[in-house]
Amino acid sequence: MNLKSLLFTALVSVSTFGMAQSNLLNATHPDQVGVKTEEQKALDNDHPLEYGYVGDRDILFSRMVWEKIILDERVNFPLYYPIDTNNIGTDRRSLFDVLYKNVLDGTIENVYSDSYFTGKKSMVDLAQQMVDIDTLDVGYDQLNQDGYIDPEYITKTEIQSANVTAYHIKGTWYFDKRQGELKYRLIAIAPAAADVNFINSEDQSNKTPIALFWLFYPDVRDILHTAKTYNTKNSAMPFSFDHILNTRRFNAVAYKEENVYGDRTIEEYIPENSLMQLLESDRIKDKIRNLELDMWQF
């Protein structure tokens, strides 16, 4: 075995042990599984890969694009599952569970109402959007007769991980003239689900996923780097959500690009034609790709 092969084998071995579930083979009690000691944390020195500085003069051209990640596509399953957390360990959660939990406990402080970050959402705003409390007709009858309503006649519907069927993302494609490369930088992300008032409706026209809230992606990178998702090829080396999103290990459809018409969406100028909307999405991607190809043609 030559020196390069030996170094590569050693590097893979170190990475494998570093990414495997902590103390799984050394634990003497179930409570010790997945718990790292302070020495292990210091040795790992595990942080998301920092973005390099990009000067404004280094950007030869750029294009802002909004995309939709549909979660019922198999390639996007790592962002969707697990949706039932009752029968699975605490180390595995869906992307929505990770984001929403950290929003509720205040770890993620800034929650925005749009992808331009012009307005923020309070916890009261989120509660009104995420939870629907309704009273059955029997409850109203009881209120009129007895003056009170039994809890069994009050229904509570809350948006759960299973209800989040898509993610909206905003990112910029730019050509770095220093490195001579077309690159992508994720700017914002938003979980999308049907309106909480229509989750249980049988009318599919009311279940179009809408963005629940927007997050500035650099604010959540540390959280998404810590949270791991399942790797179907090697469970000893799970991917972090930050790795999946930054390396674009997903399939997405562009639904808007910045334009002179006030950043109108594709659906606004190509209404009621899904095929043509999909072709327009591909045209946007091809246009960006061709901008890079044109750089090398003389």
Side-chain angles (χ1 to χ4, degrees):
M1 180 181 296
N2 57 34
L3 181 59
K4 289 184 178 180
S5 299
L6 181 60
L7 290 175
F8 177 76
T9 303
L11 181 60
V12 171
S13 299
V14 171
S15 301
T16 301
F17 285 116
M19 296 294 291
Q21 191 174 19
S22 303
N23 291 333
L24 178 62
L25 303 181
N26 299 319
T28 58
H29 192 273
D31 294 339
Q32 299 175 358
V33 177
V35 179
K36 289 186 178 182
T37 63
E38 294 300 325
E39 291 77 9
Q40 287 175 314
K41 294 178 181 178
L43 182 62
D44 289 344
N45 192 24
D46 194 16
H47 301 285
L49 184 64
E50 294 184 4
Y51 294 139
Y53 175 78
V54 181
D56 292 339
R57 295 184 178 181
D58 297 336
I59 302 176
L60 194 60
F61 69 81
S62 67
R63 178 73 66 178
M64 192 74 70
V65 178
W66 287 256
E67 297 172 281
K68 184 184 298 183
I69 304 174
I70 308 299
L71 295 182
D72 61 0
E73 298 184 29
R74 185 174 295 275
V75 69
N76 298 330
F77 281 178
L79 302 177
Y80 182 64
Y81 290 100
I83 57 175
D84 183 5
T85 59
N86 293 324
N87 299 315
I88 199 167
T90 57
D91 59 317
R92 288 184 57 191
R93 290 293 182 267
S94 66
L95 177 57
F96 174 74
D97 282 340
V98 172
L99 293 176
Y100 193 49
K101 172 183 176 296
N102 284 276
V103 168
L104 292 179
D105 64 19
T107 306
I108 299 176
E109 298 180 357
N110 299 315
V111 180
Y112 300 92
S113 58
D114 59 76
S115 62
Y116 299 97
F117 315 115
T118 57
K120 291 186 177 182
K121 285 191 173 184
S122 65
M123 297 306 296
V124 175
D125 297 331
L126 281 177
Q128 293 176 349
Q129 187 175 18
M130 303 293 291
V131 180
D132 175 53
I133 299 177
D134 196 8
T135 303
L136 300 177
D137 293 338
V138 179
Y140 286 116
D141 294 338
Q142 184 184 39
L143 179 64
N144 294 330
Q145 294 177 4
D146 304 330
Y148 66 91
I149 303 175
D150 290 331
E152 61 187 75
Y153 299 137
I154 298 177
T155 61
K156 180 179 178 181
T157 303
E158 185 174 2
I159 293 179
Q160 303 289 341
S161 182
N163 305 123
V164 176
T165 57
Y167 282 93
H168 292 186
I169 59 173
K170 172 188 175 183
T172 181
W173 291 93
Y174 66 96
F175 188 87
D176 190 334
K177 67 180 182 181
R178 283 184 176 270
Q179 300 187 19
E181 185 179 357
L182 181 69
K183 296 184 177 181
Y184 177 78
R185 181 70 61 85
L186 186 58
I187 305 298
I189 185 170
D195 190 303
V196 68
N197 299 294
F198 302 105
I199 285 181
N200 299 320
S201 173
E202 296 181 358
D203 187 0
Q204 296 300 319
S205 62
N206 294 326
K207 292 190 175 183
T208 302
I210 57 176
L212 301 174
F213 52 85
W214 285 89
L215 301 172
F216 184 53
Y217 188 73
D219 284 347
V220 301
R221 284 200 68 203
D222 288 333
I223 294 170
L224 297 186
H225 176 75
T226 304
K228 307 298 182 181
T229 185
Y230 184 68
N231 182 354
T232 57
K233 295 184 178 180
N234 185 0
S235 60
M237 299 184 66
F239 295 120
S240 69
F241 287 116
D242 180 63
H243 173 79
I244 290 179
L245 293 170
N246 270 312
T247 57
R248 293 186 63 88
R249 298 176 68 97
F250 56 81
N251 184 51
V253 177
Y255 69 90
K256 181 170 72 169
E257 67 170 337
E258 56 181 352
N259 52 64
V260 70
Y261 303 102
D263 296 349
R264 64 179 181 178
T265 63
I266 293 176
E267 189 175 359
E268 289 181 290
Y269 61 91
I270 306 180
E272 300 180 359
N273 193 326
S274 299
L275 176 59
M276 295 306 297
Q277 291 172 5
L278 185 60
L279 293 176
E280 176 67 8
S281 175
D282 290 338
R283 186 193 68 81
I284 293 174
K285 294 179 181 180
D286 290 339
K287 180 174 62 175
I288 296 173
R289 188 182 301 112
N290 291 336
L291 285 173
E292 181 188 27
L293 295 177
D294 292 343
M295 296 296 301
W296 311 113
Q297 295 181 2
F298 299 93

